[in-house]
């Protein structure tokens, strides 16, 4: 039977609008304003999931984003599914479906629960120790580990939601909308500053907004009604933006922060449609005010993890804010006064408190006196030594604590309960502060880390700064904020605040039990099942650094990042090793503060918007003619043009033959083009290329090789002298941007005296290359007025000309070894020129070819492709291109490096050609080359860089780099593959037309 | 992500810039006269300081100008920016 534990009269919950949802298949009801956790608690459900390692039943511990246990899978088996959603954060909506995680077949009966009984043989480091040997078993182990690892199930379908990014610039960013954040917002907005206030909850007000106690008064009002008024007032400011359901994920340097604004997760499916689900805010703030509050600490004692054991502050929030009783028989267990506040709240609402167990010897605060006066039994100087109940706490056993707090004594007392609230004091939420580079200091008195050194214009106020008492918070905030915001007078100057609790707490990191530690399970990290004895074991095994202990025990490595238990882990290490907490330090807090969906991180940059796509002016023609495309950098390049369902191989063979036998046409528009002008342009080229440029005549083209300063080949391409002081350089498609950047670098920083101007004109021109024995006939049809004779336009020269009244440049340059013309025309005429050439070439069967055929044709000629045949470890000498390195020039980029002892070694890897014994055997690019198959370990001499079946030579050809390859001409080597060894012979890398007769169409 | 005050454009996001390594390493005027060790010193050796470091930066998605930055690498605080060819300011 489902009991309803809703008390009447919470104004934060709309008890008139009922919402139905499903948990593990059963339908329940809650109200608008409930979180999944509060709605489940109202239905008396505590058991939410199973722990990661031992599969112990676990319930709701907290009421916020620090929740370690109550994590669920929502919208199971749909594209909208999401694992590890904190039940304490997700707001219920009509139709919400949630499911327990890490249990099979169900949360009530979980096979994995056997791990709990195996726990004596599953200590910290179990996996590291056990699965080490025998090594050959690893694959089997891995299978099982992978199947038992991980919480929840990741979605299998693409994320259908919409996400976006937004930049925000503000004067002041305030993180956290509790009482401190609201004070800061008011002071900042009143001062006229553009202010942004963010809070991860659906409403601002923090925990003060439901603090209705008579013990806390501000200007003679209860603190909640005072704060309500403040909220009303700040809502009036036009220069203040309040974003709720917005959590800061990361705080980077220079006050740059990332926030996740949750827009639709609380809405039912029909209202979510077509809306942006989450927005990643990129905030740049002049000043940041951290008012992130504090997290209540649990207490570490034996079996402190059963469903029904919760933080005392969470019980208070469920009662005061959600109007939900977490139990009917409550016990509070504390080391400070916080639990007494909870007791009073529960008592006022008629929720029974059976007892308070206080580890302190005495406490004289007014609030504790009131609790005692109300007839609640207080056990002082006592501790809980064990808890009972498998799927829900049933009772606890209590004993007297020794005066040093290290052992227990006296009679064991049993008290029944169905809910145990634990209060271990407060930990300031300094995560964001440390992410930003802030340095903490340890406060010995309160046993907390607090902000000390701020790396940017930021300040921490309120409980995240270590101030926990209302009066202290308000007085200190006023002082700090006035200084930080440069305000001389504030309305808070004469505020009257009264508080009643006693700050004293008795801090014992690990509470003793009547059992020895080895027989206890005192959890520190609930999600990862790390216990106090695991920490001690790690220390015994020699781990000292907190970062090492963390990784060995997995403490703090769950989705909650150890928000609750990390301090206890530190405390126990400090106590055991005798090192001071301040010297031990904390583990590193890394972004994101709470998990962030990938969708939010990528925003709109999905699918075709993932990266920029560059298309040539002729792209539509390629698409229409069935081209297959390949990505070259950001460019889409036609790869090959299959006809009648041809395979890639058949298409490339056909295209390659056509280009050599009649005519081929290539869209080369993607080649990088840099316009170089200035009186020192030729001197500049002299310095950046390995060969000489001063004597290049106007109207002539020259191939150039560019090195890095270390002597390695960087880029290549043809540069044409258009005029005395005007050149146009072509670069590789992928290298264009880097080459321009490199040239600019040298011009600006090393040779500022040179009069040279560089302009990238890659996108300004369409480039069409026509090659083959009939290319000249086709070009003469396209440009009848142009004299194409050898005298007028010899190989490696250019002419300005006009086609259909459009100016263009015709260059006679060749990357295929065929007679070849490259026409550059203003980009927007590219398509019409391409179509005109196709038209004129029809009678010669002009064949469009793609990058694959281009690569094949140039490989037949032994021309390198920088980046395919080279990899930044090859000099021009290694490439057998000594001819292009000027001996006369005094200097060029990389020259000195060519004479380093290392670059002059003759056993460097050098470019060679390879022929296979079987002419039909096409090598795999990247395959390793060896000389001796019997050698162990076998020595790799080099690898295949380019490999094709040449239809023009009717055999397989390859380029390769081989150690000392230049001197190995004719030598037989081997390429060992998975199933066979391939016999190859080293040959000259030029396979076709060594005499270059084809350049002039002499076949 | 830090903010860099480009001497030509003003303050911009780091994502508009490209880092160019240590500053004030002059390319030798007569490289061929250097020994292998001297050339290697220019080519490979960089200080990689934790603390105040003189660096080259390029406003690659802006004016494309190179300039110098004095940055504390331990906390990314930029102490000064100045143009190429200028002497570093006292900090």
């Amino acid at each position: 039977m489902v009991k309803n534990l809703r008390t009447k009269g919470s104004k934060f919950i709309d008890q008139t609008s009922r919402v139905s949802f499903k948990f593990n298949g059963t339908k329940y009801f809650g109200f608008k304003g409930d979180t999944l956790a509060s709605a489940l608690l109202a239905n008396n459900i505590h058991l939410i999931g199973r722990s990661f390692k031992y599969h112990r039943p676990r319930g709701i511990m907290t009421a916020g984003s620090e929740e370690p246990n109550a994590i669920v899978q929502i919208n199971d088996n749909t594209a909208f599914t999401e694992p590890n959603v904190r039940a304490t954060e997700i707001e219920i909506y009509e139709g919400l479906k949630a499911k327990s995680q890490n249990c099979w077949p169900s949360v009530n009966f979980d096979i994995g629960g056997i791990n709990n009984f195996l726990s004596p043989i599953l200590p910290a480091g179990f996996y590291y120790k056990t699965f080490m040997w025998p090594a050959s078993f690893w694959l089997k182990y891995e299978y099982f580990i992978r199947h038992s690892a991980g919480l929840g199930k990741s979605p299998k379908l693409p994320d259908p939601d919409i996400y976006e990014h937004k930049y925000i610039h503000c004067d002041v960013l305030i993180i956290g909308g509790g009482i401190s954040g609201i004070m800061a917002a008011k002071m900042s907005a009143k001062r006229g500053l553009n202010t942004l206030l963010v809070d991860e909850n659906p409403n601002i007000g923090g925990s003060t907004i439901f603090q209705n106690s008579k013990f806390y008064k501000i200007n003679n009002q209860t603190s909640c009604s005072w704060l309500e008024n403040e909220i009303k007032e700040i809502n009036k400011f036009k220069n203040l933006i309040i974003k709720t359901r917005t959590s800061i994920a990361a705080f980077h340097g220079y006050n740059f922060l990332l926030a996740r604004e949750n827009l639709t997760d609380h809405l039912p499916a029909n209202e979510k449609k077509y809306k942006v689900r989450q927005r990643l805010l990129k905030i740049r703030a002049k000043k940041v005010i951290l008012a992130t509050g504090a997290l209540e600490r649990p207490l570490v004692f034996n079996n402190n993890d059963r469903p029904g054991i919760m933080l005392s502050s969470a019980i208070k929030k469920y009662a005061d804010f959600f109007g939900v009783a977490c139990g009917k028989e409550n016990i509070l267990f504390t080391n400070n006064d916080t639990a007494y506040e909870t007791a009073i709240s529960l008592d006022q609402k008629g929720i029974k408190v059976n007892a308070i167990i206080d580890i302190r010897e005495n406490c004289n605060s007014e609030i504790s006196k009131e609790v005692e006066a109300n007839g609640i039994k207080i056990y002082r100087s006592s501790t809980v030594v064990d808890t009972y109940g498998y799927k829900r706490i049933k009772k606890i056993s209590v004993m007297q604590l020794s005066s040093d707090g290290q052992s227990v004594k006296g009679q064991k007392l049993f008290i029944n309960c169905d809910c145990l609230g634990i209060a271990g004091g407060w930990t300031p939420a300094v995560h964001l502060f440390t992410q930003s580079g802030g340095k903490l200091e340890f406060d010995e008195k309160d046993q907390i880390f607090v902000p000390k050194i701020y790396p940017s214009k930021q300040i921490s106020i309120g409980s995240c700064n270590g101030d926990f008492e209302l009066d202290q918070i308000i007085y200190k905030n006023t002082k700090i904020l006035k200084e930080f915001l440069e305000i001389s007078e504030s309305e808070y100057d004469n505020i009257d605040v009264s508080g009643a609790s006693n700050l004293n707490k008795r801090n014992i990191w690990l509470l003793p039990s009547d059992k020895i530690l080895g027989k206890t399970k005192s959890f520190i990290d609930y999600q990862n099942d790390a216990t106090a004895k695991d920490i001690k074991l790690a220390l015994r095994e020699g781990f000292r650094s907190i970062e090492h202990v963390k990784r060995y025990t997995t403490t703090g490595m769950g989705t909650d990042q150890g928000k609750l238990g990390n301090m206890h882990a530190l405390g126990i290490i400090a106590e055991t090793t005798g090192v001071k907490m301040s010297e031990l330090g904390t583990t590193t807090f890394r972004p994101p503060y709470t998990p962030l969906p990938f969708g939010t991180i990528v925003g709109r940059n999905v699918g075709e918007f993932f990266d920029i796509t560059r298309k040539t002016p002729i792209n539509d023609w390629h698409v229409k003619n069935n081209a297959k495309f390949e990505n070259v950098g950001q460019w889409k390049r036609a790869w090959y043009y299959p006809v009648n369902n041809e395979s890639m191989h058949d298409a490339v063979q056909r295209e390659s033959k056509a280009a050599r036998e009649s005519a081929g046409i290539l869209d080369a528009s993607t080649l990088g083009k840099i316009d170089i002008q200035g009186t020192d342009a030729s001197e500049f080229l002299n310095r950046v290329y390995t060969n000489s440029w001063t004597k290049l005549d106007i109207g002539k083209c020259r191939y150039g090789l560019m090195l890095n300063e270390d002597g390695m080949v960087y880029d290549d391409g043809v540069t044409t002298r258009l005029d005395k002081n005007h050149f146009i350089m072509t670069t590789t498609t992928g290298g264009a941007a880097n080459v321009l950047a490199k040239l600019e670098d040298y011009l600006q920083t090393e040779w500022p005296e040179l009069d040279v101007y560089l302009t990238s004109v890659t996108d300004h021109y369409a480039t069409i290359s026509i090659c083959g024995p009939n290319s000249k006939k086709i070009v003469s049809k396209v440009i009848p007025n142009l004299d194409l004779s050898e005298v007028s336009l010899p190989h490696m020269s250019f002419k300005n000309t006009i086609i259909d009244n459009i100016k263009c440049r015709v260059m006679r340059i060749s990357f295929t070894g065929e007679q070849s013309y490259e026409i550059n025309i203003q980009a927007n005429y590219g398509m019409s020129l391409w179509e005109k050439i196709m038209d004129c070439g029809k009678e010669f069967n002009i064949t469009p070819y793609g990058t694959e055929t281009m690569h094949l044709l140039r490989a037949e000629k032994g021309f390198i492709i920088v980046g395919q045949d080279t990899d930044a470890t090859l000099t021009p000498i290694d490439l057998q291109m000594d001819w292009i390195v000027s001996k006369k020039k005094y200097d060029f980029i990389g020259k000195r490096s060519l004479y380093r002892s290392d670059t002059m070694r003759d056993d460097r890897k050098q470019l060679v050609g390879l022929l296979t014994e079987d002419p039909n055997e096409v090598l795999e690019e990247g395959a390793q080359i060896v000389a001796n198959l019997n050698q162990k370990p076998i020595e790799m001499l080099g690898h295949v860089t380019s490999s094709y079946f040449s239809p023009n030579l009717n055999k397989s050809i390859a380029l390769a780099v081989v150690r000392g390859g230049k001197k190995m001409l004719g030598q037989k080597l081997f390429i060992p593959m998975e199933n066979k060894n391939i016999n190859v012979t080293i040959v000259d890398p030029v396979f076709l037309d060594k005499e270059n007769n084809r350049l002039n169409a002499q076949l | 992500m830090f903010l860099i005050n480009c001497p030509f454009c003003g303050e911009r996001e780091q994502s508009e810039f490209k880092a160019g390594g240590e500053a004030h390493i002059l390319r030798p005027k007569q490289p061929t006269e250097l020994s292998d060790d001297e050339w290697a010193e220019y080519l490979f050796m960089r200080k990689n300081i934790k603390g105040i470091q003189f660096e080259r930066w390029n406003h690659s998605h802006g004016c494309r100008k190179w300039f110098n930055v004095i940055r504390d690498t331990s906390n990314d605080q930029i102490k000064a920016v100045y143009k190429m060819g200028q002497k570093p300011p006292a900090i």
Side-chain angles (χ1 to χ4, degrees):
Chain A
M1 201 190 82
V2 178
K3 296 165 200 145
N4 198 322
L5 293 175
R6 192 75 65 166
T7 61
K8 281 213 171 91
S10 167
K11 60 184 166 191
F12 303 101
I13 298 300
D14 180 1
Q15 298 217 14
T16 59
S17 40
R18 223 161 66 129
V19 176
S20 78
F21 65 98
K22 276 188 176 171
F23 179 63
N24 286 334
T26 309
K27 193 171 179 178
Y28 297 98
F29 292 96
F31 295 116
K32 206 172 169 196
D34 264 327
T35 60
L36 180 61
S38 69
L40 287 170
L41 289 169
N43 286 283
N44 200 23
I45 294 169
H46 274 259
L47 175 60
I48 304 296
R50 295 276 178 156
S51 67
F52 183 55
K53 191 169 156 192
Y54 301 135
H55 289 251
R56 283 169 69 104
R58 289 283 165 78
I60 297 158
M61 278 231 42
T62 72
S65 61
E66 70 272 32
E67 177 61 39
N69 287 340
I71 53 177
V72 294
Q73 180 105 24
I74 60 167
N75 303 318
D76 200 24
N77 293 325
T78 71
F80 293 97
T81 192
E82 192 177 350
N84 302 330
V85 173
R86 288 164 298 284
T88 49
E89 276 197 308
I90 179 111
E91 298 162 61
I92 56 163
Y93 51 82
E94 194 60 41
L96 170 70
K97 284 184 190 143
K99 215 181 114 181
S100 295
Q101 294 186 162
N102 206 33
C103 54
W104 185 83
S106 79
V107 71
N108 276 301
F109 178 73
D110 174 22
I111 297 277
I114 190 135
N115 281 6
N116 188 32
F117 302 101
L118 296 177
S119 64
I121 60 163
L122 293 171
F126 170 74
Y127 288 77
Y128 305 129
K129 288 167 188 162
T130 311
F131 300 119
M132 293 294 291
W133 33 256
S136 59
F137 270 42
W138 171 246
L139 286 177
K140 279 203 168 53
Y141 289 143
E142 193 190 10
Y143 177 83
F144 285 105
I145 292 170
R146 289 217 182 277
H147 276 73
S148 60
L151 291 164
K153 291 193 189 86
S154 48
K156 292 197 171 70
L157 298 164
D159 190 339
D161 277 314
I162 309 165
Y163 302 86
E164 63 181 28
H165 290 177
K166 186 181 178 183
Y167 288 88
I168 296 182
H169 296 262
C170 58
D171 293 328
V172 178
L173 168 68
I174 300 158
I175 307 166
I179 185 167
S180 298
I182 288 167
M183 285 176 73
K186 195 172 179 193
M187 287 172 79
S188 169
K190 230 177 178 177
R191 166 96 164 68
L193 300 166
N194 282 322
T195 309
L196 173 65
L197 171 67
V198 300
D199 192 293
E200 60 181 359
N201 294 299
N203 334 66
I204 57 169
S207 59
T208 311
I209 200 71
F210 53 86
Q211 183 57 277
N212 198 17
S213 159
K214 63 178 178 186
F215 292 102
Y216 300 97
K217 290 275 172 72
I218 305 173
N219 287 343
N220 273 325
Q221 302 174 60
T222 56
S223 47
C224 63
S225 53
W226 179 82
L227 192 63
E228 264 169 42
N229 257 324
E230 293 294 294
I231 293 172
K232 263 183 219 150
E233 281 187 35
I234 64 166
N235 275 323
K236 291 178 196 155
F237 288 109
K238 294 241 165 14
N239 56 336
L240 169 68
I241 296 170
I242 301 172
K243 283 189 181 291
T244 54
R245 298 190 179 96
T246 302
S247 59
I248 298 291
F251 189 168
H252 296 292
Y254 286 70
N255 283 352
F256 179 69
L257 299 96
L258 296 176
R260 181 231 336 225
E261 186 180 12
N262 206 336
L263 298 161
T264 64
D265 277 359
H266 60 292
L267 299 175
N270 58 335
E271 286 176 48
K272 282 183 185 158
K273 239 180 180 177
Y274 310 122
K275 285 185 188 158
V276 172
R277 181 189 169 204
Q278 296 193 352
R279 197 178 277 145
L280 187 74
L281 306 177
K282 301 178 176 184
I283 306 168
R284 187 71 81 167
K286 290 192 184 123
K287 292 182 175 181
V288 176
I289 297 170
L290 291 155
T292 48
L295 303 172
E296 188 165 40
R297 285 180 195 171
L299 290 166
V300 179
F301 55 99
N302 188 22
N303 287 320
N304 59 343
D305 67 323
R306 301 191 189 283
I309 299 180
M310 305 174 70
L311 295 180
S312 154
S313 59
I315 294 175
K316 184 175 188 307
K317 181 166 183 182
Y318 287 117
D320 287 348
F321 188 89
F322 294 103
V324 172
C326 294
K328 292 180 159 178
E329 309 276 340
N330 296 285
I331 296 177
L332 297 164
F333 179 26
T334 188
N335 69 2
N336 68 94
D337 264 5
T338 329
Y340 293 86
E341 290 177 23
T342 305
I344 286 177
S345 278
L346 297 185
D347 201 44
Q348 273 174 0
K349 294 192 167 51
I351 304 167
K352 197 171 153 200
V353 180
N354 289 359
I356 294 185
I357 320 295
D358 193 330
I359 69 171
R360 294 176 297 180
E361 279 161 32
N362 48 49
C363 168
N364 298 318
S365 63
E366 281 179 48
I367 196 164
S368 69
K369 284 178 195 155
E370 167 100 358
V371 168
E372 212 161 11
N374 289 357
I376 295 170
K377 173 88 180 140
I378 301 172
Y379 296 86
R380 297 192 196 280
S381 206
S382 298
T383 184
V384 176
V385 292
D386 206 351
T387 65
Y388 307 88
Y390 186 54
K391 283 183 252 175
R392 174 81 181 260
I393 189 165
K394 280 187 209 146
K395 67 179 172 190
I396 59 168
S397 53
V398 178
M399 286 174 83
Q400 281 280 309
L401 204 52
S402 67
S403 57
D404 66 353
Q406 298 301 303
S407 59
V408 286
K409 59 186 180 187
Q411 278 286 315
K412 201 191 276 190
L413 192 73
F414 295 88
I415 315 173
N416 289 335
C417 66
D418 60 356
C419 182
L420 175 68
I422 50 180
W426 297 89
T427 300
V430 293
H431 308 71
L432 295 174
F433 166 77
T434 51
Q435 274 183 26
S436 76
K439 297 277 176 285
L440 298 167
E441 95 182 311
F442 190 68
D443 178 334
E444 289 287 347
K445 187 178 133 284
D446 287 342
Q447 298 281 299
I448 51 174
F449 282 100
V450 287
K452 189 179 185 194
I453 301 169
Y454 291 97
S456 61
K457 278 187 185 161
Q458 52 163 301
I459 201 80
S460 294
I461 56 167
S463 54
C464 70
N465 195 32
D467 302 324
F468 302 118
E469 284 305 302
L470 189 67
D471 44 355
Q472 187 190 7
I473 287 172
I474 293 180
Y475 296 142
K476 217 166 144 189
N477 283 357
T478 309
K479 187 171 165 279
I480 295 174
L481 287 168
K482 275 168 76 178
E483 196 182 313
F484 186 63
L485 298 170
E486 293 156 359
I487 296 170
S488 55
E489 268 178 47
S490 150
E491 61 182 293
Y492 300 130
D493 285 347
N494 300 311
I495 200 163
D496 178 38
V497 191
S498 62
S501 58
N502 186 333
L503 268 178
N504 285 340
K505 77 174 174 192
R506 183 180 186 189
N507 200 77
I508 301 175
W509 294 115
L510 170 59
L511 289 159
S513 167
D514 54 332
K515 289 184 184 154
I516 58 161
L517 184 67
K519 298 268 184 215
T520 63
K521 278 206 187 73
S522 308
F523 288 92
I524 287 172
D525 184 310
Y526 293 86
Q527 197 177 96
N528 276 352
D529 279 342
T531 62
K533 79 179 167 208
D534 292 329
I535 304 271
K536 295 232 178 187
L537 176 71
L539 295 172
R540 274 205 306 281
E541 291 184 358
F543 292 91
R544 283 295 174 271
S545 153
I546 171 68
E547 296 285 1
H548 292 159
V549 173
K550 164 183 161 172
R551 278 154 186 82
Y552 191 59
T553 61
T554 72
T555 302
M557 291 173 70
T559 60
D560 59 326
Q561 297 269 293
K563 291 191 179 77
L564 293 185
N566 268 2
M567 283 302 293
H568 301 84
L570 289 171
I572 291 168
I573 295 169
E575 255 170 28
T576 312
T577 57
V579 177
K580 276 190 177 161
M581 292 281 274
S582 52
E583 284 161 29
L584 199 60
T586 64
T587 53
T588 312
F589 299 103
R590 289 194 180 83
Y593 177 66
T594 49
L596 202 58
F598 280 111
T600 313
I601 297 168
V602 296
R604 300 264 177 175
N605 303 327
V606 290
E608 60 178 311
F609 302 114
F610 182 69
D611 195 10
I612 294 163
T613 304
R614 298 175 79 183
K615 292 172 180 167
T616 77
I618 308 158
N619 188 70
D620 288 352
W621 191 94
H622 306 319
V623 173
K624 217 186 297 169
N625 287 273
N626 197 28
K628 299 282 178 247
F629 287 85
E630 80 168 325
N631 296 328
V632 183
Q634 292 168 328
W635 285 101
K636 295 277 168 202
R637 291 201 74 176
W639 195 11
Y640 58 98
Y641 302 80
V643 176
N644 301 329
N645 295 322
E646 259 176 331
S647 67
M648 175 171 170
H649 176 81
D650 291 346
V652 171
Q653 298 289 303
R654 173 181 52 75
E655 290 169 15
S656 304
K657 268 179 98 73
R660 293 232 186 269
E661 287 170 5
S662 180
I665 180 169
L666 172 81
D667 179 0
S669 307
T670 62
L671 286 180
K673 292 176 275 287
I674 300 170
D675 186 275
I676 303 173
Q677 301 192 37
T679 51
D680 294 317
S682 65
E683 170 60 19
F684 179 66
L685 289 172
N686 249 345
R687 296 187 191 185
V688 299
Y689 277 132
T690 60
N691 47 351
S692 178
W693 292 79
T694 25
K695 286 183 189 144
L696 183 70
D697 292 331
I698 294 167
K700 289 287 183 329
C701 318
R702 183 166 286 172
Y703 172 76
L705 202 57
M706 199 183 288
L707 310 184
N708 262 333
E709 205 68 271
D710 62 4
M712 304 304 156
V713 171
Y714 184 68
D715 202 79
D716 69 344
V718 170
T719 297
T720 304
R721 188 164 207 166
L722 303 172
D723 208 336
K724 184 165 182 282
N725 298 323
H726 190 186
F727 293 80
I728 185 151
M729 172 189 281
T730 56
T731 72
T732 58
T733 297
N738 290 336
V739 169
L740 179 69
K742 181 184 163 92
L743 300 184
E744 286 178 328
D745 187 352
Y746 275 90
L747 255 187
Q748 289 180 34
T749 66
E750 301 294 351
W751 309 318
E753 72 279 6
L754 293 185
D755 173 39
V756 176
Y757 300 88
L758 306 170
T759 312
S760 166
V761 292
T762 304
D763 298 281
H764 299 45
Y765 297 98
T767 304
I768 300 168
S769 171
I770 308 129
C771 79
N774 287 320
S775 59
K776 191 173 180 176
K777 290 176 198 155
I778 296 168
V779 174
S780 69
K781 276 178 79 181
V782 177
I783 327 168
N785 297 332
L786 186 65
D787 180 0
L788 295 176
S789 67
E790 282 304 314
V791 180
S792 160
L793 189 65
H795 181 57
M796 296 306 265
S797 67
F798 111 100
K799 279 272 183 301
N800 280 315
T801 185
I802 288 172
I803 303 174
D804 296 339
N805 291 325
I806 310 302
K807 282 197 263 181
C808 57
R809 295 173 183 148
V810 179
M811 285 143 182
R812 204 171 141 206
I813 51 181
S814 176
F815 190 42
T816 59
E818 293 298 316
Q819 186 169 52
S820 178
Y821 299 85
E822 215 173 271
I823 308 178
N824 283 352
I825 192 163
Q826 200 179 307
N828 48 342
Y829 297 107
M831 180 69 102
S832 68
L833 177 60
W834 177 277
E835 284 172 338
K836 187 183 177 96
I837 298 168
M838 289 304 293
D839 215 35
C840 295
K842 206 174 243 170
E843 60 176 302
F844 304 102
N845 183 33
I846 191 167
T847 302
Y849 66 92
T851 50
E852 189 64 20
T853 293
M854 174 184 84
H855 287 180
L856 190 160
L857 295 172
R858 64 88 207 180
E860 289 176 337
K861 285 292 295 175
F863 295 151
I864 57 155
I865 290 185
V866 174
Q868 175 164 343
D869 301 297
T870 73
D871 61 0
T873 65
L874 296 171
T875 68
I877 320 299
D878 299 335
L879 294 170
Q880 308 217 37
M881 292 172 79
D882 313 45
W883 53 271
I884 203 170
V885 181
S886 164
K887 301 265 187 313
K888 289 183 198 146
K889 280 201 293 185
Y890 181 71
D891 191 14
F892 55 81
I893 297 172
K895 170 158 179 160
R896 176 62 186 81
S897 290
L898 298 178
Y899 304 98
R900 290 178 61 235
S901 57
D902 185 60
T903 41
M904 286 173 66
R905 278 189 295 117
D906 53 13
D907 63 343
R908 290 175 60 82
K909 283 188 181 169
Q910 291 150 352
L911 186 80
V912 294
L914 286 184
L915 284 178
T916 48
E917 197 176 78
D918 172 1
N920 292 316
E921 177 81 57
V922 180
L923 299 171
E924 268 185 43
E925 286 173 1
Q928 296 289 326
I929 301 163
V930 305
N932 181 355
L933 285 168
N934 299 319
Q935 193 184 14
K936 270 187 184 175
I938 199 161
E939 189 184 5
M940 306 295 177
L941 296 179
H943 65 274
V944 178
T945 58
S946 295
S947 170
Y948 308 90
F949 186 83
S950 160
N952 302 301
L953 299 159
N954 208 19
K955 65 183 174 192
S956 151
I957 56 166
L959 297 174
V961 289
V962 175
R963 201 176 300 155
K966 269 190 215 177
K967 287 185 182 156
M968 292 167 77
L969 222 56
Q971 201 163 320
K972 296 211 180 314
L973 296 172
F974 307 97
I975 296 190
M977 298 302 288
E978 203 173 352
N979 305 315
K980 61 186 168 186
N981 296 311
I982 302 168
N983 298 341
V984 294
T985 308
I986 293 197
V987 295
D988 187 88
V990 185
F991 297 96
L992 180 92
D993 186 29
K994 285 191 171 52
E995 304 74 26
N996 292 328
N997 290 329
R998 286 175 166 267
L999 287 174
N1000 304 316
Q1002 293 162 354
L1003 303 184
Chain B
M1 259 211 311
F2 37 105
L3 293 169
I4 299 172
N5 194 9
C6 168
F8 305 93
C9 307
E11 196 172 73
R12 296 287 192 280
E13 293 267 343
Q14 183 192 346
S15 55
E16 291 187 18
F17 297 85
K18 216 171 86 180
E22 196 178 322
H24 303 296
I25 297 176
L26 266 187
R27 187 173 186 274
K29 293 274 178 242
Q30 296 165 317
T32 36
E33 273 140 52
L34 299 182
S35 69
D36 266 13
D37 284 350
E38 285 165 331
W39 180 246
E41 185 66 33
Y42 159 72
L43 196 55
F44 303 120
M45 298 307 175
R46 298 295 181 269
K47 293 195 197 94
N48 196 22
I49 295 162
K50 180 181 179 183
I52 300 290
Q53 179 162 285
F54 295 74
E55 298 175 334
R56 288 158 17 104
W57 283 78
N58 179 229
H59 196 183
S60 52
H61 293 278
C63 62
R64 294 191 69 85
K65 286 281 194 185
W66 283 91
F67 56 93
N68 296 309
V69 168
I70 307 177
R71 181 174 67 108
D72 186 336
T73 59
S74 67
N75 59 15
D76 284 340
Q77 293 304 315
I78 291 175
K79 306 288 179 192
V81 285
Y82 54 102
K83 291 178 184 173
M84 278 293 156
Q86 287 181 346
K87 285 225 165 75
I91 49 155

